[in-house]
Amino acid sequence: MPDAVRRNLAECARHCTSDLALRLLLRAMVQAGTGRDAALPPEHYARLEELGSALHYGEFIVSEVRHLVRPAGA
C-alpha cells in the first residue's frame, strides 16, 4: 500500500469514526490486493475480525479481505 494511502488512513483513524476508518482500511486493502500478490498474515486477519465483531459488522464486511490471507512463509 502506498505511503500516502497509509498516512491518509492514519489521519482518518484519528479524526473519523472507528467504523468509517475500518471500512476505508478494508476497501484500501481490497484495492491494493487486486491484481497483486498482496498477503495478509492470519493474525492480522483475526484482529480485523475482532474489530469487525466489536463494531457489530455482519459476516460479509471483514470477509472481503479473506482472500488475501496467507500463512507465514507462503
Side-chain angles (χ1 to χ4, degrees), residues 33-71:
T34 301
R36 297 190 183 128
D37 287 333
L40 180 64
E43 60 273 11
H44 290 186
Y45 181 76
R47 180 65 179 138
L48 290 171
E49 284 185 314
E50 290 173 12
L51 292 169
S53 178
L55 292 168
H56 305 288
Y57 287 176
E59 64 180 296
F60 299 111
I61 301 296
V62 175
S63 66
E64 288 291 317
V65 296
R66 181 181 279 279
H67 68 281
L68 299 174
V69 176
R70 302 285 187 277

Side-chain angles (χ1 to χ4, degrees), residues 18-49:
S18 54
D19 175 53
L20 179 58
L22 183 56
R23 287 177 182 265
L24 288 174
L25 172 63
L26 293 170
R27 166 117 356 141
M29 290 172 72
V30 167
Q31 291 299 314
T34 301
R36 297 190 183 128
D37 287 333
L40 180 64
E43 60 273 11
H44 290 186
Y45 181 76
R47 180 65 179 138
L48 290 171
E49 284 185 314

